[in-house]
Amino acid sequence: MNISELHIAFKVEADKNAVNIGMSGCPSFLPEEIDYWLYTAYLSKIATKFTGNNTLKQPFEGDIKRVADLENLIKTDKGLSLLGETNSNRLTLDDFRSSTTYGDDTQDKRMYFIEGILHFGNKLAKVSLVSHKQAQNFLETYNNHPWIENPVATLEDNKLIVFIDKDLMKSPFSLDLTYLAYPKRLNNLDITSGMDEIPEYMQYEVVKLAADMALENIESQRVKSHPQYVAQLAE
């Protein structure tokens, strides 16, 4: 659906579910407000599909449908520069989220880490994301000289920090980063705006969620049925 069709679908869905708003039926939303709720629901739906915090408890690549839901948002940036530290076995990719531009609009580029491939010399190694607690075991210190067959990484302060074995892995280093991308931000003034990154069946799921969230916001500021959205994007 293009942006005009998304707005029409939102109004139909909102009107159908607005029986508790009052005798006037569906409340009037400005185009910018509809953009806001559609995009908020869009990000929320992507987050639940990717993390598995959904009805089926299936994360991305947990089954064929989860792959089909998000495959057009899976991107790989190749040959990214990594900064080494003189007295440490850490390599750092600055600005993990990065940014991208559509027309005059600049937005975040990378939403979730999926996989990394570290290049060192003419060799390759897979990079896996681990918790900060696990990463402590891979940090080289005066009394800890870990053997690291496959590099691991953590995300911190918009940086991807990769832990390597300096005896096995020598510079120059670069990284191929596979990630879940942010979808293009919706804009009612842009006729090319839409949800082309996801299948049409999922677009209707997003529209329904957007209408539910918008109407719930109007009905009661104290009742929130979708608190998981903020937590998921923060993970």
Side-chain angles (χ1 to χ4, degrees), residues 49 65 68-70 198-206:
K49 297 282 187 179
K65 185 177 184 300
D69 288 342
L70 301 176
I198 59 174
E200 188 169 2
Y201 63 80
M202 190 173 160
Q203 295 179 33
Y204 287 102
E205 295 177 17
V206 172

Side-chain angles (χ1 to χ4, degrees), residues 73-112:
L73 287 167
I74 307 306
K75 310 291 183 182
T76 299
D77 292 343
K78 296 186 176 182
L80 300 175
S81 298
L82 295 167
L83 300 176
E85 299 178 4
T86 304
N87 298 317
S88 173
N89 66 326
R90 307 194 317 172
L91 304 174
T92 301
L93 171 70
D94 286 328
D95 193 16
F96 169 78
R97 287 192 299 273
S98 189
S99 62
T100 188
T101 301
Y102 299 104
D104 296 327
D105 186 25
T106 299
Q107 64 176 71
D108 284 346
K109 181 179 182 181
R110 305 181 188 121
M111 191 171 181
Y112 289 111

Side-chain angles (χ1 to χ4, degrees), residues 140-155:
E140 185 174 310
T141 63
Y142 78 96
N143 62 351
N144 182 44
H145 192 78
W147 176 68
I148 305 174
E149 183 177 11
N150 293 305
V152 299
T154 59
L155 282 168

Side-chain angles (χ1 to χ4, degrees), residues 10 21 24-31 33-34 218:
F10 174 90
I21 296 295
S24 59
C26 177
S28 176
F29 290 99
L30 295 174
E33 292 176 317
I34 297 178
I218 292 172

Side-chain angles (χ1 to χ4, degrees), residues 131-230:
S131 69
H132 284 78
K133 183 176 182 179
Q134 290 172 311
Q136 292 176 7
N137 298 322
F138 294 90
L139 178 63
E140 185 174 310
T141 63
Y142 78 96
N143 62 351
N144 182 44
H145 192 78
W147 176 68
I148 305 174
E149 183 177 11
N150 293 305
V152 299
T154 59
L155 282 168
E156 178 181 313
D157 192 26
N158 195 25
K159 301 178 187 292
L160 181 71
I161 301 172
V162 182
F163 296 81
I164 63 168
D165 190 321
K166 293 195 296 184
D167 292 335
L168 300 177
M169 304 167 191
K170 304 294 184 180
S171 63
F173 298 105
S174 65
L175 182 72
D176 295 343
L177 177 62
T178 301
Y179 58 95
L180 182 72
Y182 276 95
K184 182 180 177 181
R185 192 177 299 278
L186 300 176
N187 183 351
N188 65 92
L189 298 178
D190 181 0
I191 61 173
T192 67
S193 181
M195 296 183 185
D196 295 339
E197 299 102 330
I198 59 174
E200 188 169 2
Y201 63 80
M202 190 173 160
Q203 295 179 33
Y204 287 102
E205 295 177 17
V206 172
V207 170
K208 185 180 187 310
L209 178 60
D212 289 346
M213 296 172 78
L215 293 174
E216 181 181 78
N217 180 267
I218 292 172
E219 290 176 341
S220 174
Q221 292 290 334
R222 296 179 179 274
V223 179
K224 300 295 180 186
S225 298
H226 309 281
Q228 72 272 22
Y229 166 66
V230 174

